[in-house]
Amino acid sequence: MSDSTTTQPPSVGPTYDVVGIGNALVDVIAHASDDFLANHELVKGAMTLIETDRAVELYGALSGAVEMSGGSAANTMCGVASFKGRAAYIGKVDSDDLGLVFGHDMRAVGVAFRGGVTAQEVPTGRCVIVVTPDAERTMNTYLGVSSTLGVEDLDESVIAAGQVLYMEGYLFDREPAKAAFRRAAEVAHANGRTVSLTLSDSFCVDRHRADFRQLVAESVDLLFGNEDELLSLYELDDFDSAIAALRAECRIGVITRGPSGCVIVTADEVIEVPAVEVRKVVDTTGAGDLFAAGFLHGLTTGAELAECGRLGSIAAAEVISHVGPRPLVELHTLRSDA
């Protein structure tokens, strides 16, 4: 079990509340019917990795798409900034038009952006997100240069300056990225910081379960996931048994359960936090990302764990009430209204 309390305290206070590492993507979001999914052989609710030709095909088939900088951990950092937290983001883009747009978007909302080493002839990644009438989102992701992030792309001074390191499971697909995660965790712990990980998707867990389990057991202080991801991680069918396994390995676990809220666990307690009511669910894209933003903001400002969960629920409720994975209002303004 990771325990960052055994490391030496940092010599100076953190410059950032949260430093995120993940796939730097541009989101292309459009509404379409279930027939569209069937006609294009898309797996509803899944995140599917695609190649360039498939990305061009889907993009051309959609109409009325909205384009914006995205990526799971990038969305979370924008959420932290929306709470008036101090956030930085490390992700790899090319020096193409989409890469420039990505960096501009992040800095415009107050997130310090570190783009990694410029690639050669590999374009910036993008995610085609199809939202069906039931608000379910189906993601088809062309990772492009984002997936080539490695140890050489890390700004270790930024990681050392972050109170919490937040790592995105979607990036955990290639060996260079796995090495980068391990190195980033080492740097964070060496500076007395907290290391967190989001599992991102049960399909990610299925592909890399052994490596995820090792990372969680050895390097992670705070784990985010949903119920399906947790069950996949421990290859169990019973939620309570999976929670018990998580409590044995991680200092804090935060598991979301959709409309049922979330469960926060430590070695000493289990806290259930209800979801914030939403008048109408429009698009679930970014719900987990923004939940993590609210929780992390609470954690880095000294809130109790139950309050951290409440802030996460506030942020998730806001983002699923409209199209797009980022808040349309400043999240800090919602704290007293919930």
Side-chain angles (χ1 to χ4, degrees), residues 36 51 85 90 94 133 141 152 209 220 302 309:
F36 181 92
E51 298 300 328
I90 298 171
D94 193 24
T141 304
E152 69 278 6
R209 183 177 293 106
V220 174

Side-chain angles (χ1 to χ4, degrees), residues 2-11 163 185-195 218-219 221 251:
S2 173
D3 184 357
S4 64
T5 60
T6 62
T7 59
Q8 293 298 315
S11 57
Q163 185 176 342
E186 289 174 359
V187 172
H189 278 154
N191 285 274
R193 312 307 190 187
T194 296
V195 174
E218 296 179 356
S219 302
D221 307 301
R251 196 151 57 85

Side-chain angles (χ1 to χ4, degrees), residues 24-61:
L25 306 172
V26 174
D27 286 337
V28 180
I29 306 172
H31 283 269
S33 66
D34 286 308
D35 288 341
F36 181 92
L37 301 185
N39 292 338
H40 290 275
E41 300 180 338
L42 302 178
V43 180
K44 186 172 182 176
M47 191 287 287
T48 303
L49 296 176
I50 58 176
E51 298 300 328
T52 306
D53 290 346
R54 179 66 161 162
V56 171
E57 173 196 343
L58 292 177
Y59 182 77

